[in-house]
């Protein structure tokens, strides 16, 4: 009996010599996407120059998506990884990304990625709030740590977030 053999090929993008991280990240985004936060370089795992791009598909009404681009050793190539999607139902909240940074916790061996955002439930008339997602890398896949993300409800900045993550 024959069994099919499937391999997943990694996705890579090329960074041009002298290209800014903003222009580079923009070129790696899906066709109908726009950045919703300035691109940042962070230290994640063994990479001190991982590029994080948070974007919204122009056809997507409110939720954000994200890419983390890891440089390959001695190359202008970057490996593309995708953040796990937001849990909120798209279209229910006005979401504005406030800050993107890394944080260390005792629960994960490497720096996690934190996306702080403000939100307002559309049409509710209620006051908005602040929340965050804590992402961690497992293999080549970004996962959301629900417990750590819940700790970050109502935090307004990186200093407060890091204090709550200790």
């Amino acid at each position: 009996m024959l069994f099919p053999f499937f391999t997943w090929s990694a996705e890579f993008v090329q960074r041009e010599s002298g290209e800014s991280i903003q222009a580079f990240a923009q070129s790696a985004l899906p066709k109908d996407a726009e950045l919703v936060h300035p691109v940042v370089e962070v230290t994640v795992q063994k990479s001190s120059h991982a590029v994080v791009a948070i974007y919204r598909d122009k056809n997507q009404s409110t939720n954000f998506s994200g890419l983390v681009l890891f440089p390959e050793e001695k190359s202008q190539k970057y490996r593309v990884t995708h953040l796990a999607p937001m849990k909120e139902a798209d279209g229910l909240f006005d979401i504005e990304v406030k800050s993107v940074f890394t944080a260390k916790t005792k629960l994960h061996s490497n720096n996690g990625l934190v996306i702080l955002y403000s939100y307002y439930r559309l049409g509710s008339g209620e006051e908005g709030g602040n929340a965050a997602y804590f992402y961690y890398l497992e293999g080549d896949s970004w996962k959301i740590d629900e417990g750590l993300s819940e700790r970050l409800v109502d935090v307004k900045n990186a200093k407060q977030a890091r204090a709550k993550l200790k």
Side-chain angles (χ1 to χ4, degrees), residues 37 96-101 114-119 127-133 149-165:
H37 187 271
E96 182 182 346
V97 176
K98 298 292 191 178
S99 186
V100 177
F101 57 93
V114 179
I115 313 291
L116 291 179
Y117 63 93
S118 64
Y119 65 88
E127 197 170 311
N130 295 293
Y133 275 104
S149 296
E150 291 211 9
R151 283 192 203 174
L152 300 175
V153 170
D154 293 328
V155 298
K156 293 181 174 73
N157 57 48
K159 183 178 179 180
Q160 288 177 354
R162 287 187 174 109
K164 287 209 172 195
L165 291 169

Side-chain angles (χ1 to χ4, degrees), residues 96-163:
E96 182 182 346
V97 176
K98 298 292 191 178
S99 186
V100 177
F101 57 93
T102 59
K104 186 86 171 144
T105 72
K106 294 176 185 174
L107 298 175
H108 300 283
S109 59
N110 292 301
N111 284 346
L113 185 64
V114 179
I115 313 291
L116 291 179
Y117 63 93
S118 64
Y119 65 88
Y120 166 72
R121 185 171 177 105
L122 295 170
S124 70
E126 298 172 358
E127 197 170 311
N130 295 293
Y133 275 104
F134 184 94
Y135 292 93
Y136 65 97
L137 195 57
E138 187 175 275
D140 275 346
S141 180
W142 287 97
K143 310 276 186 198
I144 296 169
D145 186 312
E146 301 281 345
L148 292 178
S149 296
E150 291 211 9
R151 283 192 203 174
L152 300 175
V153 170
D154 293 328
V155 298
K156 293 181 174 73
N157 57 48
K159 183 178 179 180
Q160 288 177 354
R162 287 187 174 109

